[in-house]
Amino acid sequence: MDGVHIALFMSVTTTPSARKTYRHGDLRRALLEAGIALAREGGPAAVTLREATRRAGVAPNAAYRHFASQQALLVAVRATALSAVAKSMEDELAAVPPKLSPADRARACVRAVGTGYLRFAKAETGLFRTAFALSHKLIQATPEWPTAGPSGRNPYELLCGAVDQLVQAGVMPAAKRPGAEILAWSAVHGLAMLVVDGPLAAPVGPHFEMFGQRLLDMVEKGL
Amino acid sequence: MDGVHIALFMSVTTTPSARKTYRHGDLRRALLEAGIALAREGGPAAVTLREATRRAGVAPNAAYRHFASQQALLVAVRATALSAVAKSMEDELAAVPPKLSPADRARACVRAVGTGYLRFAKAETGLFRTAFALSHKLIQATPEWPTAGPSGRNPYELLCGAVDQLVQAGVMPAAKRPGAEILAWSAVHGLAMLVVDGPLAAPVGPHFEMFGQRLLDMVEKGL
DNA sequence: TGTACATCAGTGAACGCGCGTTCACTGATGTAC
DNA sequence: TGTACATCAGTGAACGCGCGTTCACTGATGTAC
């Protein structure tokens, strides 16, 4: 998660007292980072223009120089959250031992993608919820705000890539490939939601890692 | 879903003009049903005391004769939603052919529970989200508001019962039983959330039923 | 059977809150001459 | 190098909204006599 920390929390946010000049300097960025912090703390509903401007040490309406509306800020925050998910997946992928057989390697990559997803959900609950929940109101594709990780691929593309490897390595018959990523994603997403934001937080939370691995076992066998 | 309709929508809600007497008659029930209607339409965030009283044709503060707070109403609505989920599962269970072998019957029951869950998520999106999302703020057990379906068992109990059958029928080794219901629930819940409230609504929504069955295949094999 | 009265469900008005958003403005910045 | 000026980022004040919640009240109901 260190990469996420560096990417997300090197804030240039200035407090009212800290700002000496009339101009802020980099308000657009400060608002985005305040928005990310709000999403971390309270999920998507906490991303408000007023609180973001408050944290940036700026009048509420100053935000409109940089974002057309509250929803525009939320879209930007959401994109950042998605790219942090991608980063978390890539960190796990990078830890896959290189000397495995193609079949084992493919399986390990699928697990890595799932593990990265689950780790992120647990470590950054608010951002996770911002990335994936309530998106029915934010469906617009926004090339302006990239959702990819350092490798240039977004979470969905990373997952598809891993599942593709299963086919290439002969672990999965090509006939079962179409839509298989949906099934894998569903399983992992469900566990994340139930534990992170739902009724299983108390009973399962402490054994999240173990259930995560068992779930990935199930996906591996079941796919 | 007919049972759900009967249970949920036989409203006694009165409009302002329809009410002749000073007393409402059954405001508690009218508020609960207004709350359910709001949850159906807009999910948990839409369940507000002011709108519920408005629909019941009553002053906003009248609600406090029957519910201690907005959250108390939400807890009651959520319980109703959970018991509607149970009902949907039971409807599917009732349709399982009785003449199967124990093993096939156990498998069919697990599928039925999952199918009932998914059908409900698709047909009653708002209630589904109310039942399962955001419950971290509503963790209190409330015996006052039952969450069971007609059979007296709530969704979680129905799921556990079905998975238990797998063990009894020899389909699943007893050693794998503990926590298995979590894995099954996760898979089904994830698909529901992604399609119903998330980024897969557009691409997967039209083929929801098919993906649901494929997901249940995966769970069956993987468990 | 008729009347006094206690109960308590619903009223009317108001509170403070935080939100998104708009308006006319002001003053620091950087460029053209 | 110095000065006039256009630009436009941030200000201050205000709007309307819907929300939860509290207060003192009023009047229909049903019971005790």
Side-chain angles (χ1 to χ4, degrees):
Chain A
M1 295 305 304
D2 271 3
V4 176
H5 275 261
I6 292 168
L8 296 179
F9 309 136
M10 270 192 30
S11 175
V12 297
T13 301
T14 49
T15 58
S17 57
R19 182 156 54 101
K20 299 247 178 359
T21 155
Y22 183 85
R23 302 286 179 91
H24 180 282
D26 199 356
L27 184 53
R28 181 185 189 80
R29 182 171 164 170
L31 288 174
L32 178 56
E33 285 175 353
I36 292 164
L38 290 170
R40 289 185 69 226
E41 296 161 22
V47 180
T48 66
L49 240 32
R50 288 195 96 105
E51 182 59 26
T53 51
R54 217 172 281 135
R55 294 195 177 195
V58 125
N61 49 356
Y64 289 89
R65 292 283 164 202
H66 303 283
F67 294 93
S69 66
Q70 181 267 343
Q71 184 163 281
L73 175 61
L74 187 51
V75 166
V77 169
R78 178 167 168 264
T80 310
L82 277 166
S83 102
V85 173
K87 172 83 169 68
S88 178
M89 288 174 165
E90 289 174 19
D91 288 348
E92 297 292 329
L93 281 171
V96 171
K99 303 198 167 185
L100 298 174
S101 72
D104 283 348
R105 184 168 169 76
R107 276 190 277 260
C109 284
V110 172
R111 294 189 84 91
V113 165
T115 303
Y117 194 88
L118 290 171
R119 289 237 167 101
F120 185 84
K122 183 78 171 176
E124 292 288 356
T125 299
L127 287 179
F128 177 76
R129 285 168 48 210
T130 306
F132 294 111
L134 295 164
S135 52
H136 50 101
K137 289 192 170 180
L138 309 165
I139 330 171
Q140 62 266 33
T142 51
E144 184 191 3
W145 298 105
T147 58
S151 79
R153 294 190 295 170
N154 67 32
Y156 184 72
E157 290 163 349
L158 288 165
L159 170 61
C160 285
V163 179
D164 284 343
Q165 280 187 257
L166 287 179
V167 178
Q168 283 157 23
V171 179
M172 174 190 278
K176 299 187 71 179
R177 174 62 190 83
E181 80 278 7
I182 306 288
L183 308 181
W185 188 2
S186 291
V188 165
H189 186 71
L191 182 63
M193 291 301 282
L194 287 172
V195 172
V196 138
D197 192 38
L200 294 184
V204 176
H207 315 98
F208 184 62
E209 193 88 12
M210 185 206 74
F211 274 103
Q213 290 310 308
R214 284 183 61 188
L215 187 77
L216 291 170
D217 289 343
M218 178 182 87
V219 170
E220 200 173 306
K221 270 185 220 153
L223 271 189
Chain B
M1 297 301 304
D2 272 0
V4 176
H5 274 262
I6 291 166
L8 297 178
F9 310 135
M10 270 192 32
S11 175
V12 297
T13 301
T14 48
T15 58
S17 57
R19 182 156 54 102
K20 299 247 174 9
T21 156
Y22 184 86
R23 300 290 179 87
H24 180 282
D26 200 355
L27 184 54
R28 181 188 191 78
R29 183 171 162 172
L31 288 173
L32 178 56
E33 285 174 354
I36 292 165
L38 290 169
R40 289 185 69 226
E41 295 161 23
V47 181
T48 66
L49 281 183
R50 289 195 95 106
E51 182 59 26
T53 52
R54 216 172 281 134
R55 294 194 177 198
V58 127
N61 49 358
Y64 290 89
R65 293 282 164 203
H66 303 284
F67 294 93
S69 66
Q70 181 267 344
Q71 183 163 281
L73 175 62
L74 187 51
V75 166
V77 169
R78 179 169 166 262
T80 310
L82 277 166
S83 100
V85 173
K87 172 82 170 67
S88 177
M89 289 174 165
E90 289 173 19
D91 288 347
E92 296 293 330
L93 281 171
V96 171
K99 302 196 166 186
L100 298 173
S101 72
D104 284 347
R105 182 167 172 78
R107 277 190 276 258
C109 284
V110 171
R111 294 188 85 91
V113 165
T115 303
Y117 194 88
L118 290 171
R119 290 237 167 100
F120 186 84
K122 184 78 172 176
E124 292 289 357
T125 299
L127 288 178
F128 177 77
R129 284 167 50 210
T130 306
F132 294 111
L134 297 164
S135 53
H136 49 100
K137 288 191 170 180
L138 310 165
I139 330 172
Q140 61 267 32
T142 51
E144 183 191 1
W145 297 105
T147 58
S151 79
R153 295 191 294 170
N154 66 35
Y156 184 71
E157 291 163 348
L158 288 165
L159 170 61
C160 285
V163 179
D164 284 343
Q165 279 186 260
L166 286 180
V167 178
Q168 283 159 21
V171 179
M172 173 190 280
K176 298 187 73 182
R177 175 63 189 81
E181 79 279 6
I182 306 289
L183 307 182
W185 188 2
S186 291
V188 167
H189 185 71
L191 181 62
M193 291 301 282
L194 288 172
V195 172
V196 137
D197 191 36
L200 295 184
V204 177
H207 315 99
F208 185 63
E209 192 89 11
M210 186 207 73
F211 274 103
Q213 291 310 308
R214 284 183 63 187
L215 187 78
L216 291 171
D217 289 342
M218 178 182 87
V219 170
E220 199 173 307
K221 271 185 218 150
L223 272 189

